[in-house]
Amino acid sequence: MFKNYLKIAWRNLLKNKGYSAINIGGLALGMAVTLIIGLWVHDELSHNNYFSKKERIAQVFQSQTLNGNTGSGPAIPRPLEMGLRNGYMDNFKHLAMASWNNSVYLNYEDKSLSKTGNFMQEEAPELLGLTILKGEKNGLRKINSIMLSESVAQALFGEENPIGKVVRANSQYDMEVTAVFEDIPMNNSFNDLEYIMPWEKYLTIFEWIQNAEDQWGNNSFQMFVQLADNTSMEQVSATIKDVKKNLNEDTAEFNPQLFLLPMKDWYLRSSFENGKQVGGRIKYVWLFGIIGGFVLLLACINFMNLSTARSEKRAKEVGIRKSIGSQRNQLIYQFLSESFLVVLFAFCLAILIVLLSLEGFNDLAKKEIAFPWKDSLFWAISFAFILFTSLLAGSYPALYLSSFKPVDVLKGTMTTGKYAGLPRKILVILQFTVSVAFIIGTVIVMQQINYAKDRPVGYDKEGLVQIPTMSQDFEGKYDLMRSEFLTSGAVMEMSSSSAPTTQIWSNRGGFIWEGKPEGFQEDIAWTDVSPEYAKSLNLKILEGRDFSREFATDSNAVLINETAVKYMGLTDPVGKFIKDDDVEDPFPPLKIIGVVQDMIAQSPYEPVKQGIYAYDKHGNASFYNLRLNPDNSANENISTIENIFKSHFPDIPFQYDFVDSEYGEKFAAEERIGTLSAIFTALAILISCLGLFGLTSFVAEQRKKEIGVRKVLGASVFNVWNMLSKDFLKLVTISCFIAVPISYYIMNGWLQDYPYRVILEWWIFLLAIVGALAITILTVSFQAIKAANSNPVKSLRME
């Protein structure tokens, strides 16, 4: 019987090739979008699945309150380690301190590579469960040991056995390779972990780290833990909550509270607001999951609409089948079989679409998603997906068609009734409500991105290049390098700084100044700069003057930004002093000599942070900032700079970044979301238009005799077009008025996440409405004009 159902279904598909193509094509597009989104969602949700013990791994976070505002983050002080080891190790199986990501230069023979990694305590590899391919499992026991990722070991040593080989790091210290670990896949934390060096080595390299052993206020480190078997995240978080406050009274005023953030939350749920976990990237997972569901729903609506619209064509078939004994359930199975066949063909076509588009999607989404050919779970879900879609798309037509009474059908007295077309109208409204909402959402997302892009950055980022200098090789060579770069003609100006232009690396407090409010707890971004910093960035001095090498007193001078003036409550800031309230080890009073224009150094979606730029007298430079000569090509300038660089640092890889490119990366995540939303919106509109095209075609065919009569009686092409189009335009107009308030509510809530955000204006919604109506007119007009121009003789002659 099932074979018979499929045979009849196949014949019906061949008999109505046009409708079959629209049905299969629309469903295939909808299913392809849903499959791609499903693969993307799975990739997002499987983040950190590489780590087999991710349910037991966590990072220590802390919340602190400044002036009533609570901030949370993973930065912790160094003495916290011993505080936890001495009294709380029953809660942990492993505990490891770690640095933030560090770039180092690794040299072996004639090879020199710049690689990113961490300094970690020796428990870290076991804590993370790294797969050791060669060497010792505990490869961080010796202070001069280094563990390399598989790809780095291959790049440095080729086919040689790397174990026991010595590499030179930052041209300063020799490190023995003790282990090679498997590269961590892209969709995992630590995917950029290319080396691990011992924490003890970290302590010997930087003096400030050694001094931080008892500094509870210096939150410059990370800590990772693996829980003991008899504990839970909630229990341990509650246990260690007040450890920092209890061990150090000086920090109690900030009400520091420790807690654990599980590894499973690092990627998707790492956002905090006023001390509370409020989600994060998981909102995009929900967003695209909903989009995928709606796009599939739109495709299913097309199927339902076209199937029910063509019901009169199959009414006699239903009548004959019932009159010779077919039961209603058999007819339902028949129509569901047709639905299954359509969905099966659509699914096969959807697989082809996914395969053809997956590479481009990966490039766009910055993913490495592979089609899961060998995943039995995927195919089981796909089969369930086909059955579900078949039921969703075919249930209403099956129930509707099988309900016809055979007597009425065969007598020719069956009437569709006044409200027979109502379900189709509701479905069309639903389709275009979703499509218009997608249009509005995409426009607002893109507008928000452009709004932030157009925001003045406060400095000239065009033609500005950064070179990292985080190696002792650069110490004491700034003046020499600046002289040679300027003399070469490739560089107009040069400066050095302790942080990149596009980031804030240090935040400080504990200052005293005239007029500071009682109990005020400040948090100020701090950057050490050379005297030429403002000139190299074309940073505008609003009050006072810039640093000058001619004034020896400028070594104890600072520049502050506009926001800092307001934040500190200064009326005439130039000439005022900032002092350190550290009684035991105070720095000399710092004189404010100038106020500079605000520059965006963090997120362009947030307000500029209050900042101090201090004269760098200790050689804290981490970057050279070079203003290129605009009279030369960029390639010519970079080539000249590289030659000079290599003449002084032959063993260090020449690295540079254009600041405008680095700044552009701040929009990368939102731009990817916006682009993907635009693509999915376009596909949703296309699917809706396919359905509308099919319905218009059917209505034109159904009313061809009426159209012929009207033309004989003198109706113009416009009259016929208006007759066929107005009903659809009414439905789309209703959709627009439903979509607008829904979109406003959702997008207004989304924008609240951005302190610096666009204002929702009426023209955005008007643009979406006009666009939807224009698309409808174009879609309907093709069939309407075709019908209006048809020969009435052909439609009126007797069959």
Side-chain angles (χ1 to χ4, degrees):
M1 183 63 75
F2 184 68
K3 181 180 178 181
N4 183 57
Y5 290 156
L6 292 180
K7 185 183 292 186
I8 295 172
W10 173 250
R11 288 173 179 170
N12 273 308
L13 289 179
L14 293 179
K15 183 180 177 182
N16 303 283
K17 295 183 180 64
Y19 294 107
S20 298
I22 291 175
N23 265 339
I24 294 173
L27 271 176
L29 273 178
M31 295 175 86
V33 170
T34 306
L35 280 173
I36 288 177
I37 289 177
L39 292 172
W40 182 85
V41 167
H42 177 265
D43 187 82
E44 293 283 291
L45 295 177
S46 62
H47 202 84
N48 282 332
N49 275 2
Y50 175 81
F51 301 100
S52 59
K53 299 179 181 178
K54 79 170 189 176
E55 298 296 331
R56 310 295 295 169
I57 298 173
Q59 186 170 10
V60 178
F61 271 53
Q62 70 165 322
S63 295
Q64 294 192 108
T65 302
L66 278 77
N67 304 313
N69 297 315
T70 301
S72 303
I76 55 103
R78 187 183 163 195
L80 181 62
E81 178 208 350
M82 295 312 299
L84 292 180
R85 288 192 185 277
N86 289 337
Y88 299 88
M89 275 308 291
D90 289 345
N91 298 286
F92 308 112
K93 193 171 184 178
H94 297 290
L95 182 150
M97 292 289 291
S99 67
W100 303 96
N101 277 7
N102 277 272
S103 292
V104 301
Y105 310 116
L106 299 177
N107 296 90
Y108 177 73
E109 295 180 347
D110 61 340
K111 296 177 182 176
S112 182
L113 304 174
S114 176
K115 295 299 173 184
T116 302
N118 288 69
F119 293 86
M120 294 181 169
Q121 289 184 320
E122 63 179 270
E123 290 183 66
E126 179 69 19
L127 186 156
L128 296 175
L130 299 182
T131 301
I132 306 300
L133 303 177
K134 295 179 182 177
E136 304 176 39
K137 191 173 183 180
N138 187 0
L140 300 176
R141 288 185 296 108
K142 296 184 289 186
I143 192 170
N144 287 319
S145 60
I146 185 171
M147 300 175 67
L148 299 177
S149 69
E150 183 180 9
S151 57
V152 173
Q154 176 69 27
L156 283 174
F157 305 106
E159 299 305 317
E160 293 183 61
N161 183 2
I163 305 304
K165 295 286 196 300
V166 175
V167 297
R168 190 159 183 81
N170 279 351
S171 304
Q172 299 168 36
Y173 29 89
D174 293 327
M175 308 296 289
E176 180 187 349
V177 180
T178 55
V180 175
F181 57 90
E182 184 178 58
D183 287 347
I184 298 173
M186 184 175 177
N187 68 327
N188 292 273
S189 301
F190 301 106
N191 62 71
D192 56 353
L193 189 69
E194 297 175 305
Y195 74 84
I196 309 176
M197 284 195 276
W199 176 258
E200 287 69 23
K201 187 69 179 179
Y202 190 51
L203 302 183
T204 64
I205 295 173
F206 302 104
E207 183 180 350
W208 70 269
I209 298 175
Q210 299 172 26
N211 296 335
E213 184 176 7
D214 298 317
Q215 295 177 355
W216 284 91
N218 186 350
N219 298 298
S220 301
F221 309 95
Q222 298 186 90
M223 181 187 293
F224 301 99
V225 299
Q226 186 184 125
L227 299 188
D229 294 335
N230 59 342
T231 60
S232 68
M233 293 287 174
E234 295 76 14
Q235 290 172 344
V236 178
S237 288
T239 301
I240 67 172
K241 180 179 178 181
D242 295 318
V243 168
K244 182 178 177 182
K245 185 163 48 177
N246 293 338
L247 293 177
N248 186 262
E249 294 181 359
D250 294 339
T251 62
E253 62 176 317
F254 302 108
N255 190 29
Q257 296 186 344
L258 303 178
F259 61 95
L260 301 181
L261 186 69
M263 177 180 267
K264 61 184 179 66
D265 286 351
W266 293 357
Y267 181 68
L268 294 176
R269 298 178 179 84
S270 58
S271 294
F272 290 84
E273 195 173 285
N274 206 26
K276 301 294 183 182
Q277 191 174 9
V278 292
R281 192 176 173 84
I282 189 67
K283 66 183 178 182
Y284 295 128
V285 175
W286 282 108
L287 171 66
F288 282 116
I290 292 170
I291 288 175
F294 273 118
V295 170
L296 180 61
L297 178 62
L298 297 182
C300 291
I301 287 173
N302 281 354
F303 184 93
M304 288 187 278
N305 268 344
L306 291 176
S307 297
T308 53
R310 296 188 65 252
S311 61
E312 290 182 16
K313 290 283 187 180
R314 303 192 66 181
K316 288 184 179 180
E317 176 192 342
V318 173
I320 292 171
R321 284 178 177 276
K322 281 194 170 184
S323 66
I324 61 176
S326 288
Q327 300 297 315
R328 186 180 183 191
N329 63 326
Q330 291 176 315
L331 291 171
I332 290 174
Y333 293 149
Q334 168 65 50
F335 292 121
L336 287 178
S337 298
E338 292 184 21
S339 174
F340 177 80
L341 194 61
V342 170
V343 173
L344 184 61
F345 285 151
F347 181 78
C348 294
L349 182 57
I351 293 289
L352 180 61
I353 295 172
V354 170
L355 292 175
L356 293 174
S357 59
L358 196 55
E359 184 178 350
F361 178 80
N362 280 333
D363 291 340
L364 182 62
K366 300 299 179 185
K367 292 284 188 180
E368 292 180 351
I369 300 171
F371 195 85
W373 290 109
K374 299 179 181 180
D375 190 341
S376 56
L377 179 61
F378 168 78
W379 292 110
I381 292 173
S382 295
F383 183 71
F385 178 62
I386 291 171
L387 289 179
F388 172 76
T389 307
S390 300
L391 290 171
L392 182 64
S395 57
Y396 179 71
L399 294 171
Y400 179 71
L401 291 171
S402 64
S403 67
F404 292 166
K405 295 180 180 180
V407 175
D408 294 337
V409 171
L410 296 176
K411 280 184 177 181
T413 57
M414 188 191 80
T415 56
T416 54
K418 183 178 178 181
Y419 300 104
L422 184 60
R424 289 200 299 278
K425 293 179 179 179
I426 292 173
L427 291 175
V428 169
I429 290 171
L430 176 59
Q431 268 191 321
F432 276 88
T433 297
V434 173
S435 298
V436 172
F438 280 1
I439 293 172
I440 293 171
T442 302
V443 170
I444 292 172
V445 168
M446 302 306 287
Q447 192 186 25
Q448 171 66 9
I449 294 169
N450 291 329
Y451 184 69
K453 274 187 171 182
D454 295 339
R455 183 182 179 187
V457 294
Y459 63 96
D460 183 7
K461 61 182 185 295
E462 305 297 329
L464 187 62
V465 170
Q466 291 182 153
I467 298 176
T469 60
M470 290 170 284
S471 167
Q472 290 183 356
D473 293 70
F474 294 93
E475 287 186 10
K477 293 188 177 181
Y478 169 73
D479 290 334
L480 171 65
M481 295 301 296
R482 181 171 182 272
S483 174
E484 292 203 22
F485 282 143
L486 293 180
T487 304
S488 71
V491 176
M492 300 294 291
E493 186 55 271
M494 171 178 162
S495 65
S496 65
S497 57
S498 61
T501 309
T502 55
Q503 296 179 47
I504 292 173
W505 277 13
S506 179
N507 294 282
R508 297 188 184 182
F511 301 121
I512 300 173
W513 64 87
E514 182 183 337
K516 178 181 179 181
E518 184 71 27
F520 187 75
Q521 301 164 330
E522 69 278 6
D523 176 33
I524 301 176
W526 182 283
T527 308
D528 291 303
V529 300
S530 67
E532 303 81 18
Y533 186 72
K535 293 177 184 175
S536 64
L537 269 64
N538 288 337
L539 193 57
K540 189 176 180 181
I541 306 294
L542 302 178
E543 294 183 49
R545 63 175 178 84
D546 196 0
F547 292 118
S548 174
R549 292 181 181 270
E550 297 179 3
F551 298 102
T553 55
D554 276 7
S555 61
N556 289 321
V558 295
L559 299 172
I560 65 175
N561 65 9
E562 298 171 82
T563 300
V565 174
K566 300 172 186 174
Y567 179 78
M568 298 168 70
L570 301 172
T571 50
D572 295 308
V574 177
K576 299 289 176 62
F577 286 89
I578 300 173
K579 301 177 183 178
D580 189 357
D581 67 357
D582 188 342
V583 178
E584 297 181 2
D585 186 25
F587 56 70
L590 301 176
K591 184 179 181 180
I592 301 173
I593 61 170
V595 177
V596 298
Q597 186 176 2
D598 280 342
M599 58 177 276
I600 300 173
Q602 285 183 300
S603 170
Y605 300 102
E606 297 177 358
V608 173
K609 187 170 184 179
Q610 51 278 2
I612 291 177
Y613 304 95
Y615 191 108
D616 181 15
K617 57 185 177 182
H618 300 296
N620 291 328
S622 296
F623 291 89
Y624 288 161
N625 309 298
L626 285 67
R627 171 69 58 187
L628 301 184
N629 188 343
D631 295 333
N632 306 326
S633 69
N635 288 338
E636 184 182 349
N637 286 331
I638 294 298
S639 179
T640 302
I641 293 168
E642 182 177 11
N643 291 333
I644 296 172
F645 183 92
K646 283 295 185 183
S647 68
H648 291 279
F649 310 106
D651 296 329
I652 297 178
F654 176 63
Q655 288 182 288
Y656 67 94
D657 292 298
F658 282 95
V659 172
D660 56 350
S661 298
E662 287 291 297
Y663 184 78
E665 282 298 309
K666 294 178 179 291
F667 303 94
E670 281 79 8
E671 282 187 322
R672 281 196 290 272
I673 297 301
T675 303
L676 290 174
S677 298
I679 291 172
F680 295 145
T681 297
L683 290 173
I685 294 169
L686 176 59
I687 291 169
S688 297
C689 289
L690 276 175
L692 202 59
F693 182 85
L695 280 176
T696 310
S697 176
F698 171 76
V699 170
E701 181 184 351
Q702 189 183 41
R703 301 177 70 176
K704 65 181 179 180
K705 289 190 177 181
E706 177 190 347
I707 293 171
V709 172
R710 288 177 178 272
K711 291 196 70 176
V712 169
L713 294 176
S716 65
V717 171
F718 175 78
N719 294 141
V720 176
W721 173 85
N722 182 59
M723 178 189 73
L724 293 175
S725 302
K726 63 182 181 181
D727 287 341
F728 292 110
L729 286 172
K730 286 178 184 177
L731 298 179
V732 175
T733 303
I734 294 170
S735 299
C736 292
F737 283 104
I738 296 173
V740 165
I742 294 174
S743 302
Y744 178 87
Y745 176 79
I746 294 173
M747 296 311 298
N748 187 56
W750 177 75
L751 286 172
Q752 300 310 308
D753 292 338
Y754 298 95
Y756 188 83
R757 58 183 176 266
V758 71
I759 297 173
L760 292 180
E761 297 184 271
W762 62 268
W763 64 264
I764 299 174
F765 302 96
L766 180 61
L767 178 67
I769 292 172
V770 172
L773 292 174
I775 291 169
T776 303
I777 291 172
L778 287 174
T779 304
V780 173
S781 293
F782 178 81
Q783 286 293 354
I785 293 173
K786 180 182 176 183
N789 285 318
S790 63
N791 188 345
V793 174
K794 291 182 179 180
S795 59
L796 294 176
R797 70 185 177 184
M798 296 298 293
E799 297 179 0

